[in-house]
Amino acid sequence: MLTVFKLVPYGDISLEDVASEIAAESSTGSNLKVGTMTPYSQGIDARVYKIDKEKNLAYIAYPWSMFDRVGNVQNILTFIAGNVFGVSEVKECKLLDVWFPPQMLSQYDGPSVTLDDMRDYLQNYDRPVLGTIIKPKIGLTSTEYAEVCYDYWVGGGDFVKNDEPQADQVFSPYEKMVVSVREAMDRAEDVTGHTKVHSFNVSAADFDTMLKRAEYVASVMKPGSYAFLVDGITAGWTAVQTIRRHFPNVFLHFHRAGHGAFTRRENPIGYSVLVLSKFARLAGASGIHTGTAGIGKMAGDAVEDITAAQNILRLRAKGIAFDQTWSEIPETDLDIQAAIKKEEELWSQGAQGIMKSRSDGLDTVLERKTSWRLINKTAPIISGGLNPVLLPQFIDTIGTIDFITTMGGGVHSHPDGTTKGTMAVVQAFEAWKNEIPLAEYAKDHPELAKAIEYYDKHGTQAHRAENKAVYNNEEAV
Ligand code: CAP
Ligand code: MG
Ligand code: MG
């Protein structure tokens, strides 16, 4: 396995020296040469194989046989994103990219359910899966929560998720929330004639409780109509892989709350959005949040976020330092070469082209989940301050329609409420699809017109003033 770290040493320590420290601490060594090493243990030392002095980059290779044998992502990160962040000689230690050899890929689960399966269930192939997060983030009763789900679904939305801290709170007991969601989903499906999906947060204090929540959801909801959301950073990688392995037939939604402590560009210590996303695919997440490329409310930028999105969606994609082919079969295999070529043709058409190529379903080997010794794709889940007005711009930025977008504030703050807010999102997509400017399309789509008027006025500044009034005033203090 290959890695590249941005390393900036303190004082006059050389880049070579600090790179050796990091290689030692992330493999077999410590800060002292121990007399207990053996020829075998030396055989699995990590190796610094390249240094780039201009950019302060150190390339470190790991014999992947040193990792826990049962396809354990947590173990790899304990090596390469563990103690190294505490090594005192480094001022900066950022893991920027990682490369998995084909033989290593075959040891890991990868996703079982993919966005293609959700598209089959929703019968939705030629647009992003339109989703929301129920807001307020927390505090609604189970029935109030379900009503907002209903309002969203009857507005034409596909997918609703629990917000990342929703669990089994006193005001919204877990089982009551699930039953209420099922009832609201049935009503919305009757009214609209369309299937709907809900992503339930199963993160919990312990694995038994987590599995119990997941089992309960499975006992109430129709197969295909639910996903399991795991707070992958705060609940952890073992929680992610436990759900992946216990429920191979359920869409695994990796929420990355807390990732900013590792990934923000201004953080000197941590890892990139790309690294997080690649490990989520290796671990088997069906979808992970990859950021709005700076278009929404969260820090992030196009290079990082879009690179991450492409690396989890495609069979082969360029990273920050490595080209990763997500095939357990070596690239020398002609079938793989043909599949990579087909994918490149597909992606060269951009989002409009990809949309047009699949309006009646998925028919290419790359677009349909396959057991053909590939690590299946992971869907980018795009959230964070998006609203209908920003959707067309984001689609053109990411260059595909193959993602789930979840807008919370961007739907439930619409002046005419959730259902109209959802209609505005659907209309914004239709405007993009027909290549009509939003303002033009809004002339005969009042819900979108209202959204444009509102979100143009209620950018982040207004948002801050509103939040201050609620969350930070004398009374609150
Ligand atoms: C978005 C969100 C998401 C974050 C995740 C929130 O709500 O539900 O959890 O955006 O960020 O709680 O803020 P809004 P990311 O749609 O109301 O912003 O996707 O970057 O991990
Ligand atoms: Mg130790
Ligand atoms: Mg959230």
Side-chain angles (χ1 to χ4, degrees):
M1 181 182 83
L2 303 182
T3 62
V4 59
F5 285 83
K6 166 109 186 271
L7 295 178
V8 175
Y10 275 112
D12 55 3
I13 305 172
S14 74
L15 183 54
E16 283 85 347
D17 285 356
V18 85
S20 313
E21 280 302 299
I22 295 298
E25 190 57 51
S26 59
S27 63
T28 52
S30 178
N31 59 335
L32 296 167
K33 200 171 168 63
V34 295
T36 47
M37 67 171 71
T38 66
Y40 183 84
S41 77
Q42 287 178 283
I44 53 173
D45 290 344
R47 289 273 187 278
V48 179
Y49 69 94
K50 191 165 87 178
I51 292 268
D52 177 333
K53 281 203 164 51
E54 267 76 63
K55 296 179 188 158
N56 273 78
L57 298 179
Y59 291 75
I60 303 177
Y62 297 83
W64 57 266
S65 58
M66 69 197 257
F67 302 136
D68 184 6
R69 280 183 294 178
V70 289
N72 174 355
V73 167
Q74 167 274 331
N75 180 259
I76 305 176
L77 290 169
T78 300
F79 276 109
I80 66 172
N83 285 355
V84 292
F85 294 155
V87 168
S88 58
E89 286 93 341
V90 282
K91 190 163 36 178
E92 272 195 62
C93 178
K94 195 95 180 246
L95 174 57
L96 297 177
D97 200 357
V98 63
W99 179 78
F100 308 115
Q103 305 83 339
M104 177 181 168
L105 285 176
S106 61
Q107 315 292 319
Y108 293 81
D109 298 334
S112 58
V113 173
T114 72
L115 187 59
D116 295 347
D117 300 291
M118 190 184 287
R119 287 186 179 285
D120 286 340
Y121 183 78
L122 290 168
Q123 285 299 293
N124 159 354
Y125 296 102
D126 59 354
R127 73 175 194 191
V129 170
L130 301 180
T132 190
I133 312 107
I134 301 304
K135 302 286 177 178
K137 191 182 278 255
I138 204 73
L140 297 182
T141 65
S142 314
T143 42
E144 289 166 343
Y145 176 93
E147 272 320 295
V148 182
C149 293
Y150 175 83
D151 292 345
Y152 179 77
W153 280 321
V154 294
D158 303 307
F159 176 93
V160 176
K161 67 178 276 291
N162 280 154
D163 219 334
E164 69 280 358
Q166 175 104 23
D168 180 21
Q169 279 89 351
V170 64
F171 44 78
S172 176
Y174 200 83
E175 299 189 355
K176 194 150 181 287
M177 181 269 295
V178 176
V179 169
S180 306
V181 166
R182 170 67 202 259
E183 187 276 328
M185 183 184 279
D186 288 348
R187 273 189 295 131
E189 290 185 343
D190 289 347
V191 167
T192 61
H194 287 294
T195 42
K196 306 294 180 182
V197 173
H198 187 282
S199 183
F200 293 91
N201 187 1
V202 293
S203 313
D206 61 81
F207 284 69
D208 295 339
T209 308
M210 180 178 79
L211 293 173
K212 226 167 70 193
R213 287 179 183 172
E215 296 292 357
Y216 185 75
V217 170
S219 72
V220 171
M221 303 300 292
K222 287 181 295 180
S225 72
Y226 63 92
F228 289 146
L229 183 150
V230 179
D231 293 319
I233 305 290
T234 50
W237 291 90
T238 307
V240 172
Q241 292 200 254
T242 297
I243 292 293
R244 164 67 182 78
R245 293 181 176 184
H246 277 254
F247 300 93
N249 302 319
V250 182
F251 188 97
L252 175 51
H253 178 159
F254 188 125
H255 193 287
R256 61 179 190 169
H259 75 96
F262 298 96
T263 61
R264 286 185 68 141
R265 286 183 83 81
E266 63 267 37
N267 292 0
I269 310 275
Y271 48 69
S272 64
V273 169
L274 175 65
V275 163
L276 170 61
S277 309
K278 285 171 99 164
F279 276 111
R281 180 172 184 176
L282 197 67
S286 308
I288 182 170
H289 292 241
T290 50
T292 63
I295 295 171
K297 74 185 180 191
M298 298 291 194
D301 74 15
V303 172
E304 278 246 28
D305 293 357
I306 302 309
T307 303
Q310 294 229 6
N311 265 269
I312 59 174
L313 262 180
R314 297 184 60 164
L315 167 59
R316 179 180 185 177
K318 270 190 178 324
I320 292 173
F322 304 116
D323 278 10
Q324 179 69 53
T325 302
W326 291 87
S327 159
E328 301 165 15
I329 306 161
E331 280 183 41
T332 45
D333 183 296
L334 295 181
D335 288 344
I336 281 295
Q337 287 302 332
I340 290 172
K341 197 163 170 314
K342 182 148 187 63
E343 179 178 76
E344 271 151 13
E345 279 159 24
L346 194 68
W347 275 76
S348 66
Q349 297 162 32
Q352 286 281 349
I354 291 176
M355 175 190 67
K356 291 185 180 99
S357 74
R358 50 196 294 187
S359 50
D360 57 353
L362 299 168
D363 55 8
T364 64
V365 71
L366 282 173
E367 285 199 317
R368 173 161 293 289
K369 185 187 79 173
T370 165
S371 58
W372 183 51
R373 291 181 63 205
L374 295 183
I375 295 284
N376 283 314
K377 68 183 175 186
T378 296
I381 301 175
I382 309 300
S383 190
L386 281 188
N387 64 53
V389 175
L390 300 173
L391 182 62
Q393 177 190 352
F394 183 78
I395 297 175
D396 290 332
T397 303
I398 194 173
T400 181
I401 47 112
D402 214 18
F403 62 92
I404 299 173
T405 173
T406 56
M407 297 179 201
V411 160
H412 308 297
S413 65
H414 189 285
D416 298 334
T418 295
T419 300
K420 302 285 190 187
T422 313
M423 290 165 71
V425 177
V426 175
Q427 290 162 10
F429 174 73
E430 284 162 0
W432 175 85
K433 177 174 180 172
N434 299 306
E435 302 185 81
I436 301 169
L438 280 182
E440 186 61 35
Y441 200 74
K443 284 186 181 138
D444 46 3
H445 293 88
E447 295 79 7
L448 180 59
K450 267 284 179 71
I452 294 170
E453 189 197 339
Y454 184 79
Y455 293 117
D456 282 354
K457 272 218 288 297
H458 284 70
T460 311
Q461 296 69 19
H463 169 86
R464 286 198 196 110
E466 283 165 1
N467 273 345
K468 188 170 170 5
V470 173
Y471 296 97
N472 179 8
N473 56 43
E474 292 63 46
E475 205 177 298
V477 171

